[in-house]
Amino acid sequence: MSDAVRITEIFGTNVFSDTVMRERLPKKVYAEVRKAIVEGTELSFATAEVVANEMKDWAIEKGATHYTHWFRPLSGIAAEKHDSFISSPKEDGRMIMEFSGRELIKGEPDASSFPSGGLRATFEARGYTAWDMTSPAFIKEDATGKILCIPTAFCSYTGEALDAKTPLLRSMEAIDEQALRIVHLFGNTGAKKVTPSVGPEQEYFIVDREKYLQRKDLIYTGRTLFGAMPPKGQEMDDHYFGSIPARVGRFMKAVNQELWKMGVTAKTEHNEVAPAQHEMATIYSEANVACDHNQLVMETMKRVATEQGLACLMHEKPFAGVNGSGKHNNWSLTTDNGVNLLEPGNTPHANIQFLLVLACILKAVDEHADLMRFAASNVGNDHRLGANEAPPAIVSVFLGDQLADVMYQLINTGEATRSIQGEKLKTGAHSLPVFTKDATDRNRTSPFAFTGNKFEFRMVGSSDTVATINIILNTIVAEAFKEAADILETAADFDLAVHDLIKKYLTEHQRIVFNGNGYSGEWVEEAARRGLPNIGCMVDAIPVLSSEKSVALFESFGVYSRTELESRVEILYEIYAKSINIEARTMIDMAGKSIIPAVIAYVGEVASSMNCVLDACEEADVSVQKELLLECSDLLSETKCALALLKEVTGEAAAAEGTEATARIYREKVVPAMDALRKPVDELEMIVEKEMWPMPSYGDLMFEI
């Protein structure tokens, strides 16, 4: 049986999909469910009862024994509480299997046990999970068996969002409403809905689990806190797109099969730039479904890796000295009658609707570049952004030669009369096929790049959710669409008004467009001259979320309330402080209990060996041993002093009051102290005999797989 046939046989078999609902639900019930999904109408209790019963029967037929409301609280990981379908047994001992409409629609987890940023006090425990009908239920198979997972949103007793899904759904409604106004202005009155579509790319590392378990830093923090580079890293560029190692290939195959069964469209897989680094991408889907699927991708990768004696590292920078991992968020807008609003066509200079949409997006990104930067802020990403391996921390937009040329025509002359067209590719080999190349090149250094019929936001961290950037993108573009629609709907001369508005937006926001090398120092200087924000780290990015400008933006579209934004600020400061605290304490533990004793033991062996030589021959030359002892002793002393300093500043940070103040102490004092401790330890690793070093090396982890 071919792989292609097998994919068609297993794809979606564990999904309570539209096809399954159509087959199993009464026509009237199915019609009401579809209307609720498409139009957002309320589902009647009677219909919910029917759906729940059929969903239960389907799941049991598939071998499921339990169900769960599957949601993602602000802790950053998926949460689930399993309940079996069994109910009170009958008098004759037979078991009843039940699942009610109420259990389908609503759950009640303890909201005070998840991060809430003050939205929920310990004594105020009630929270609710609410069924997201637009994201299909699925069966997940793991060590606990087969579990019916119902994607849900999570909110507090008073209605505030305690997750990313709730504001994401709100933002999707906001951009739908405003984008429809634009679409209708251009005559597409048949469109009833505009949906943001997302295709995430996921980068990750795979290492041997036995070696992983020998490193406390990987176990506790997901990254190596110590580690000297091996003789070979990624400098030969021989890993990227190279032959996939056998163990990794088996892992990828198993991951694909698990994801396909759950309806996740895993498509692309390949080796990435760094040794042991790989990537997987999925096909586009609606933004909330794409976010759910990306969460499933990460969960499945970690689970399958463990089952196969491997470890999957999702941290943005698990190894110093080689590229870290990110997550590219490909974003577009599509009407329900098949029009991609970001499709420029062959003559974009004449595609007025596209030019207006493009101008609105440039306006949105320019006015809210700080929010875009915030979307890429997490603890691990601080190690990547601006480090010549990922987009810079300065947000800019890459349009490419074709669209940039159209933009400057409009700005300089008021008219765009031509579009640069792709030429035939000349390879110099007559045996190769002749084809037309694209009208513009790609730019991997751009944070937000136009790539044909979509925008690619390249800054998201590999361990992070893609929900945040899509919430922000949807909302800021909705704001730009609203302003444009407000003007155009009342214009006496629509054609003239839309022409003038496009030129106005492009002229006022052209500073955000940059097609050059985002890694260069010249760009940093140029961006400063343009007045673009350059936010260097997570701690500096967090306040952006609760600024008056951000509050006004999100509240105007009902995406976040001020209270919800302020709660997230508190949570993020806490996450930063706690994460760095765990890293610092892990370094202290490793250095004090493992590394320093190992170095002392090695120094003792060298000294003992030197004394044995001298005992045998007092005239022997032991200068090498003495130099080695002196070098190790100096580095050991430096290590001990750095360890003492790290203990001191970590204690100071832990005793600080206030979430922002605490986070800043960790950023400004603890992080530099960690770097100071790592430096002599990594030098010692290059000296101490390998068999005596207390943990697997970078070479062991990245190349022995």
Side-chain angles (χ1 to χ4, degrees):
M1 183 180 296
S2 70
D3 287 340
V5 173
R6 175 137 177 83
I7 292 175
T8 60
E9 287 183 353
I10 68 173
F11 187 83
T13 53
N14 281 355
V15 182
F16 194 71
S17 62
D18 183 73
T19 301
V20 174
M21 287 195 293
R22 191 185 303 115
E23 292 173 351
R24 301 187 71 112
L25 298 177
K27 288 184 179 180
K28 184 178 179 181
V29 171
Y30 172 75
E32 185 179 338
V33 172
R34 285 303 304 166
K35 185 177 182 181
I37 292 173
V38 174
E39 300 180 14
T41 56
E42 189 173 345
L43 202 66
S44 69
F45 182 74
T47 295
E49 283 288 319
V50 176
V51 174
N53 188 64
E54 287 300 324
M55 190 183 290
K56 175 213 46 172
D57 289 347
W58 169 81
I60 290 173
E61 289 168 16
K62 292 284 184 180
T65 57
H66 291 67
Y67 71 92
T68 183
H69 277 197
W70 187 75
F71 62 101
R72 183 163 177 157
L74 297 175
S75 60
I77 60 173
E80 51 191 67
K81 175 176 71 76
H82 300 172
D83 286 297
S84 71
F85 291 116
I86 64 172
S87 185
S88 300
K90 290 186 175 181
E91 293 181 0
D92 60 6
R94 287 184 300 152
M95 187 60 64
I96 300 175
M97 306 293 273
E98 291 184 339
F99 182 51
S100 69
R102 182 182 181 280
E103 290 168 322
L104 168 63
I105 291 173
K106 184 184 76 170
E108 295 187 19
D110 183 350
S112 66
S113 297
F114 294 106
S116 71
L119 290 177
R120 293 274 80 189
T122 303
F123 67 92
E124 296 173 319
R126 194 180 299 278
Y128 295 112
T129 50
W131 178 29
D132 175 14
M133 290 185 290
T134 62
S135 186
F138 58 92
I139 292 173
K140 185 170 66 170
E141 302 179 30
D142 58 25
T144 61
K146 294 184 178 181
I147 310 298
L148 172 64
C149 296
I150 302 158
T152 55
F154 181 41
C155 61
S156 73
Y157 178 72
T158 48
E160 292 97 350
L162 294 174
D163 64 350
K165 168 165 282 199
T166 303
L168 176 62
L169 292 171
R170 295 170 181 168
S171 75
M172 292 172 68
E173 292 177 6
I175 199 168
D176 171 34
E177 179 182 352
Q178 302 306 324
L180 272 178
R181 296 173 68 191
I182 299 295
V183 168
H184 290 166
L185 281 167
F186 283 90
N188 185 1
T189 55
K192 303 300 181 186
K193 188 174 185 180
V194 176
T195 303
S197 298
V198 173
E201 304 170 29
Q202 178 71 54
E203 295 176 346
Y204 59 97
F205 281 80
I206 290 291
V207 299
D208 180 80
R209 185 162 190 80
E210 184 177 343
K211 296 184 178 71
Y212 163 88
L213 291 173
Q214 295 175 51
R215 294 203 55 130
K216 291 181 180 179
D217 47 5
L218 285 179
I219 294 171
Y220 295 140
T221 74
R223 76 178 182 105
T224 54
L225 301 171
F226 301 104
M229 276 296 295
K232 180 178 183 291
Q234 65 186 53
E235 61 273 14
M236 297 301 292
D237 299 322
D238 55 347
H239 188 70
Y240 188 55
F241 277 27
S243 178
I244 297 171
R247 289 184 72 186
V248 177
R250 288 191 289 271
F251 160 81
M252 289 179 171
K253 181 179 180 181
V255 167
N256 285 336
Q257 291 177 350
E258 291 298 308
L259 292 175
W260 289 335
K261 286 189 288 186
M262 293 185 289
V264 180
T265 54
K267 183 173 179 63
T268 304
E269 60 188 27
H270 62 84
N271 289 353
E272 253 299 333
V273 172
Q277 188 185 33
H278 311 277
E279 181 178 304
M280 192 265 273
T282 55
I283 298 174
Y284 286 82
S285 55
E286 293 189 7
N288 64 313
V289 176
C291 293
D292 283 350
H293 283 182
N294 184 248
Q295 178 64 33
L296 279 176
V297 166
M298 293 191 289
E299 286 184 21
T300 304
M301 283 180 171
K302 290 181 179 180
R303 174 175 59 80
V304 171
T306 300
E307 292 170 353
Q308 296 193 0
L310 301 167
C312 179
L313 308 180
M314 291 290 180
H315 194 283
E316 287 72 21
K317 193 72 173 180
F319 301 103
V322 299
N323 277 17
S325 296
K327 185 178 295 184
H328 299 174
N329 186 85
N330 297 282
W331 178 87
S332 63
L333 293 170
T334 309
T335 68
D336 57 348
N337 56 2
V339 178
N340 183 347
L341 302 189
L342 290 175
E343 177 56 64
N346 294 325
T347 55
H349 69 279
N351 189 339
I352 305 304
Q353 178 179 293
F354 167 76
L355 290 175
L356 177 62
V357 169
L358 179 67
C360 286
I361 291 173
L362 294 182
K363 177 182 186 295
V365 175
D366 185 28
E367 292 181 346
H368 298 288
D370 52 357
L371 270 176
M372 297 277 284
R373 170 62 179 89
F374 164 79
S377 298
N378 71 16
V379 182
N381 233 13
D382 277 0
H383 299 283
R384 291 180 62 245
L385 297 182
N388 286 8
E389 63 173 70
I394 304 165
V395 173
S396 64
V397 178
F398 170 79
L399 290 182
D401 295 338
Q402 185 187 61
L403 293 184
D405 179 65
V406 171
M407 180 182 77
Y408 291 122
Q409 287 181 61
L410 285 164
I411 291 172
N412 296 328
T413 69
E415 297 292 338
T417 59
R418 68 185 185 279
S419 297
I420 297 172
Q421 299 298 314
E423 302 174 347
K424 289 184 178 180
L425 182 69
K426 298 177 181 179
T427 64
H430 297 296
S431 60
L432 294 176
V434 176
F435 57 87
T436 301
K437 63 182 181 180
D438 294 304
T440 188
D441 205 345
R442 294 178 62 194
N443 188 330
R444 68 181 302 273
T445 72
S446 175
F448 195 56
F450 186 77
T451 54
N453 59 2
K454 58 185 172 60
F455 274 101
E456 180 182 28
F457 186 71
R458 299 171 53 88
M459 296 175 73
V460 183
S462 53
S463 67
D464 220 343
T465 176
V466 291
T468 304
I469 180 55
N470 289 297
I471 293 168
I472 289 171
L473 268 175
N474 295 342
T475 309
I476 65 176
V477 174
E479 180 188 53
F481 283 168
K482 181 181 186 302
E483 179 181 308
D486 287 346
I487 294 170
L488 297 175
E489 285 174 350
T490 58
D493 186 332
F494 175 78
D495 291 339
L496 179 61
V498 73
H499 170 274
D500 291 347
L501 191 61
I502 292 170
K503 181 181 178 181
K504 178 178 186 290
Y505 284 176
L506 293 178
T507 302
E508 292 177 351
H509 302 288
Q510 60 182 301
R511 68 172 186 168
I512 200 67
V513 176
F514 179 65
N515 285 352
N517 181 9
Y519 290 171
S520 68
E522 291 79 7
W523 167 234
V524 176
E525 297 173 3
E526 171 64 20
R529 284 193 293 271
R530 295 187 186 190
L532 299 178
N534 185 356
I535 302 173
C537 66
M538 177 181 176
V539 172
D540 290 339
I542 292 173
V544 170
L545 190 60
S546 59
S547 69
E548 289 302 316
K549 184 178 74 168
S550 296
V551 171
L553 166 74
F554 289 117
E555 286 197 331
S556 67
F557 291 98
V559 174
Y560 284 116
S561 66
R562 179 185 293 273
T563 302
E564 288 171 330
L565 291 169
E566 290 173 348
S567 72
R568 279 153 178 77
V569 167
E570 289 294 302
I571 290 169
L572 290 168
Y573 280 134
E574 285 185 6
I575 287 174
Y576 184 88
K578 289 175 179 178
S579 298
I580 300 300
N581 182 58
I582 291 170
E583 289 188 351
R585 290 170 59 193
T586 302
M587 289 189 84
I588 291 167
D589 183 271
M590 293 174 70
K593 295 180 180 179
S594 300
I595 294 169
I596 290 176
V599 175
I600 291 173
Y602 173 72
V603 168
E605 284 205 4
V606 173
S608 177
S609 174
M610 182 180 69
N611 290 331
C612 288
V613 172
L614 290 174
D615 288 343
C617 178
E618 293 183 2
E619 304 297 324
D621 182 1
V622 291
S623 59
V624 173
Q625 291 94 321
K626 288 181 178 179
E627 289 179 10
L628 191 59
L629 285 173
L630 183 60
E631 184 178 7
C632 284
S633 295
D634 288 345
L635 289 170
L636 191 59
S637 177
E638 185 180 344
T639 300
K640 190 68 173 65
C641 291
L643 176 59
L645 176 61
L646 181 57
K647 289 179 179 179
E648 178 185 336
V649 295
T650 301
E652 178 186 344
E657 296 183 1
T659 53
E660 180 177 359
T662 301
R664 291 198 176 278
I665 293 174
Y666 276 106
R667 171 66 186 175
E668 295 165 8
K669 293 187 177 182
V670 177
V671 169
M674 290 167 61
D675 293 339
L677 176 57
R678 177 169 188 156
K679 180 179 176 296
V681 170
D682 288 357
E683 292 182 38
L684 283 166
E685 185 181 354
M686 300 300 293
I687 299 171
V688 175
E689 184 180 349
K690 178 176 174 57
E691 285 69 24
M692 298 188 69
W693 196 250
M695 66 196 77
S697 68
Y698 271 22
D700 298 332
L701 289 163
M702 291 193 293
F703 290 98
E704 296 182 12
I705 185 69

